[in-house]
Amino acid sequence: MDKMRFGKTGLLVSKIAFGGIPLQRLGTAEAVELVRGAINLGVNFFDTANGYSTSEERIGLAIKGYQRSSLVLSSKSLARDKKTFLRHVDQSLKQLGTDYIDLYHLHNVSSAGVCDVVFGEDGAFEGLAEAVNAGKVRFAAFSSHSVPLSIRIMREGKFAAVQLPFNYVDDEAGKEAIPLAKSLGLGFIAMKPFGGGLLSDANLSIKYLSQFDSIVPDPGIEKLSELEEIIRIAESGERFAAADAAAVEKAKAEFSGSWCHRCDYCQPCPHNIGISTALPIESLIKRIPYPQVVELAGKSMEAARSCAGCRACVDRCPYRLDVPVLLKEKLRLWDRYVSENTSLAR
């Protein structure tokens, strides 16, 4: 498929990236075959993370035998301190089977508190800068779920790329963050172009994103047929039209009372409930294997049972979500999910 320049990095990347989260749900042979199938379709941009269990390792197995310089590898670390971050970089290099990683992200830098740590003394950013200087990483990047915070970080000039959620419902990044990234020459990876599995209309999703010529959508891929459809739509040349705009507005109305943007403006919760983990639980369930879902969200879901309905979160939420009501709905979904998987394990 067609390639595009990724900001000022000089990297030529496929106009659709391959999101590596769903590889965890597949067997090793199936995952390797999927990645190689994507390469054969012309995809050269693969995005994963140190924390995605088997994803890096499976991409590493799949790319053996391919010319390394023809591929663009992107990974991330949730480490907040320098020492752990550097250890994660070395783990990623080993698991991907490569001497360098093109883009390495500070993963989920979404609050002022996290910024204070990762950009502080012996913080993860020092590790990232050291990895770049050592040639282990070519370009520094960061991912976030907070658009305002990301805009602030982008303006500091420390990074070559940014990754933010962007789709036709979660569209905040399109107003300022994407134009700013373009003006600064930063590559922009559109995380969750299908809303983490919640948006099923591939045609509408890809046509909407195609209006923004400087971004690279990064859908999580679990089947080659999914990728083939996405590429077909992206290369069809069909433009986003009035009928599509109407469909977007309808979808926004349907999701307006339930879509968590993970901005964390609702925090702090007096009962220490991880609201931005609990409310999007359906997206995690759709993308990640059961053990990892429990590891990532189990504590937050159990904490949600302590919700006293104080509604402090509702007052803070810029989208006016009725968080206590939504938490009860997500707990019902969670309990069914845990029960079904426990039964399967017996």
Side-chain angles (χ1 to χ4, degrees), residues 281-298:
I281 189 63
E282 187 176 356
S283 173
L284 280 179
I285 289 171
K286 285 177 176 289
R287 296 179 295 131
I288 298 175
Y290 176 71
Q292 279 72 49
V293 175
V294 172
E295 181 181 352
L296 291 169

Side-chain angles (χ1 to χ4, degrees), residues 129-344:
E130 185 173 312
V132 171
N133 288 336
K136 295 179 179 182
V137 172
R138 293 185 68 191
F139 300 103
F142 75 98
S143 72
S144 179
H145 286 84
S146 171
V147 171
L149 186 62
S150 296
I151 288 170
R152 193 191 87 191
I153 294 171
M154 281 191 283
R155 285 178 172 150
E156 292 176 357
K158 293 180 170 74
F159 296 95
V162 56
Q163 185 166 179
L164 280 166
F166 187 56
N167 54 65
Y168 62 78
V169 173
D170 203 350
D171 61 352
E172 185 182 2
K175 298 165 189 173
E176 185 177 354
I178 290 175
L180 177 63
K182 186 175 183 178
S183 69
L184 295 174
L186 275 69
F188 188 99
I189 303 172
M191 184 202 310
K192 294 181 174 62
F194 296 103
L198 300 180
L199 305 177
S200 58
D201 190 335
N203 188 60
L204 186 61
S205 295
I206 297 302
K207 285 169 68 177
Y208 176 82
L209 296 175
S210 68
Q211 302 175 101
F212 302 84
D213 62 2
S214 62
I215 72 172
V216 183
D218 181 31
I221 302 297
E222 192 169 353
K223 298 177 181 177
L224 194 61
S225 59
E226 296 171 343
L227 182 58
E228 288 171 338
E229 181 184 14
I230 291 167
I231 291 173
R232 180 190 61 76
I233 297 166
E235 295 190 330
S236 69
E238 292 183 39
R239 296 184 177 276
F240 188 76
D244 300 310
V248 164
E249 291 309 310
K250 182 180 178 181
K252 283 185 178 181
E254 290 173 352
F255 281 109
S256 63
S258 61
W259 190 284
C260 176
H261 294 251
R262 296 184 67 184
C263 63
D264 274 336
Y265 292 145
C266 57
Q267 296 296 327
C269 168
H271 296 281
N272 296 313
I273 299 170
I275 296 169
S276 64
T277 299
L279 292 191
I281 189 63
E282 187 176 356
S283 173
L284 280 179
I285 289 171
K286 285 177 176 289
R287 296 179 295 131
I288 298 175
Y290 176 71
Q292 279 72 49
V293 175
V294 172
E295 181 181 352
L296 291 169
K299 289 182 180 179
S300 294
M301 297 311 298
E302 292 308 311
R305 300 188 194 281
S306 66
C307 177
C310 69
R311 303 186 71 78
C313 51
V314 179
D315 293 337
R316 298 190 192 111
C317 178
Y319 305 99
R320 306 305 300 166
L321 299 185
D322 195 333
V323 176
V325 170
L326 291 171
L327 284 175
K328 289 179 181 178
E329 292 178 5
K330 303 306 179 182
L331 275 170
R332 288 194 290 270
L333 170 65
W334 175 253
D335 287 340
R336 287 197 303 271
Y337 174 64
V338 171
S339 177
E340 289 167 359
N341 280 276
T342 302
S343 298
L344 287 171

Side-chain angles (χ1 to χ4, degrees), residues 18-206:
F18 183 109
I21 287 183
L23 292 177
Q24 305 168 92
R25 297 166 62 96
L26 306 176
T28 300
E30 188 179 5
V32 167
E33 183 180 1
L34 175 59
V35 172
R36 289 177 177 169
I39 295 173
N40 293 337
L41 287 172
V43 173
N44 76 334
F45 194 0
F46 293 87
D47 181 63
T48 182
N50 177 272
Y52 296 165
S53 64
T54 58
S55 181
E56 284 186 334
E57 183 180 4
R58 289 171 174 183
I59 291 173
L61 289 171
I63 64 175
K64 285 182 177 179
Y66 288 91
Q67 186 178 5
R68 175 63 184 89
S69 60
S70 68
L71 302 174
V72 175
L73 301 182
S74 165
S75 197
K76 319 174 191 72
S77 168
L78 277 167
R80 300 318 188 201
D81 65 281
K82 176 181 178 179
K83 182 178 179 180
T84 307
F85 190 90
L86 286 169
R87 177 167 58 81
H88 285 181
V89 170
D90 287 340
Q91 286 177 347
S92 294
L93 288 166
K94 181 179 179 180
Q95 290 173 166
L96 288 165
T98 182
D99 295 329
Y100 67 93
I101 298 170
D102 298 283
L103 299 164
Y104 209 84
H105 300 69
L106 299 177
H107 196 170
N108 194 17
V109 182
S110 299
S111 71
V114 170
C115 276
D116 289 343
V117 176
V118 299
F119 293 113
E121 185 177 358
D122 290 325
F125 180 73
E126 287 189 8
L128 178 55
E130 185 173 312
V132 171
N133 288 336
K136 295 179 179 182
V137 172
R138 293 185 68 191
F139 300 103
F142 75 98
S143 72
S144 179
H145 286 84
S146 171
V147 171
L149 186 62
S150 296
I151 288 170
R152 193 191 87 191
I153 294 171
M154 281 191 283
R155 285 178 172 150
E156 292 176 357
K158 293 180 170 74
F159 296 95
V162 56
Q163 185 166 179
L164 280 166
F166 187 56
N167 54 65
Y168 62 78
V169 173
D170 203 350
D171 61 352
E172 185 182 2
K175 298 165 189 173
E176 185 177 354
I178 290 175
L180 177 63
K182 186 175 183 178
S183 69
L184 295 174
L186 275 69
F188 188 99
I189 303 172
M191 184 202 310
K192 294 181 174 62
F194 296 103
L198 300 180
L199 305 177
S200 58
D201 190 335
N203 188 60
L204 186 61
S205 295
I206 297 302

